[in-house]
Amino acid sequence: MGVSFDLFGTLVTADRPADPAAAIATELEKRDVRVPDDWADAYAEPHVDAPDGAEVPLPAHVSRALASRGVEYEHNAARRAVVAAFDPTVETRPGALETVEAARELGPVGICSNCSVPELVGRTLVRSDFERDDFDAIVTSVGCGWRKPAPEMFDVTADRLGVDPADLVHVGDDPQADGGIEAVGGTALLLEDVALADVPTRLSTVKSQQS
């Protein structure tokens, strides 16, 4: 059995900009990038034709939004602006450390997190009470190209943990996104149904049922 955890809202709480478009605009201006007068509209428009379930990296979206308004800028300025705009204060949720430690006694443990901002998951973990070695794999939507509930993301997570998707238990707080594990035959433990502190007991039960 392998266990994957959603990150944001499950293991940690992390603030995000109340107005992402405005926060990114501020960071673009700091990098001498001209922000169009109708930036809010440009940001809200779709610019990348992606398959259903695919993740569109936010820097790619911002780059296309700027290009749609004829804005030219230094290479990588959009990526740097996006990363800087999402600079969270992080708190580890009560019981999260103990839950991950208990999961590690049952099999490999990973993170399976939706996140369209490069580097954000890594920076979040650094600011949390977790260590990188607490996880055998870290799978992000921006890294693998698929976004939960796409089954491909859970397949990637199971593969990196070295388990069959049907033997993967995923713990998360979003029924729609995290419940997608069931499409590949795995088991969802949703925090709307079980408290984080009670997850270790539920994991032990699932382990016994799989044995």
Side-chain angles (χ1 to χ4, degrees):
M1 183 179 86
V3 182
S4 60
F5 289 90
D6 172 56
L7 180 60
F8 302 103
T10 298
L11 296 181
V12 305
T13 56
D15 59 356
R16 57 168 291 163
D19 185 341
I24 291 171
T26 297
E27 296 298 333
L28 288 169
E29 290 173 341
K30 290 179 181 178
R31 290 157 178 80
D32 298 322
V33 178
R34 179 177 65 83
V35 176
D37 292 338
D38 65 341
W39 173 243
D41 291 334
Y43 186 85
E45 295 168 3
H47 297 283
V48 179
D49 185 14
D52 288 344
E55 179 66 277
V56 177
L58 191 53
H61 172 73
V62 169
S63 294
R64 296 287 185 88
L66 291 170
S68 74
R69 299 316 195 254
V71 177
E72 298 182 356
Y73 54 90
E74 179 188 353
H75 180 64
N76 274 340
R79 177 188 174 96
R80 293 196 300 271
V82 168
V83 171
F86 289 79
D87 191 28
T89 299
V90 176
E91 292 185 5
T92 305
R93 296 193 66 217
L97 288 171
E98 295 80 3
T99 298
V100 171
E101 182 179 358
R104 289 187 61 83
E105 296 178 1
L106 303 175
V109 174
I111 284 175
C112 177
S113 176
N114 280 347
C115 182
S116 64
V117 180
E119 305 175 32
L120 180 55
V121 166
R123 288 187 292 119
T124 298
L125 286 174
V126 167
R127 295 176 183 183
S128 75
D129 294 333
F130 288 102
E131 301 289 341
R132 174 62 181 82
D133 291 344
D134 290 334
F135 303 97
D136 300 294
I138 296 176
V139 179
T140 65
S141 57
V142 73
C144 78
W146 298 99
R147 185 174 183 85
K148 296 179 294 184
E152 291 89 346
M153 188 169 183
F154 295 107
D155 284 337
V156 170
T157 302
D159 181 68
R160 294 189 185 174
L161 291 176
V163 301
D164 188 278
D167 294 327
L168 181 64
V169 181
H170 180 68
V171 182
D173 67 312
D174 186 326
Q176 180 177 358
D178 298 308
I181 182 66
E182 295 177 351
V184 297
T187 302
L189 289 185
L190 300 174
L191 297 188
E192 68 172 9
D193 300 322
V194 56
L196 188 60
D198 295 331
V199 167
T201 300
R202 292 287 294 274
L203 290 174
S204 295
T205 300
V206 174
K207 178 75 170 181
S208 298
Q209 292 171 344
Q210 291 181 349
S211 301

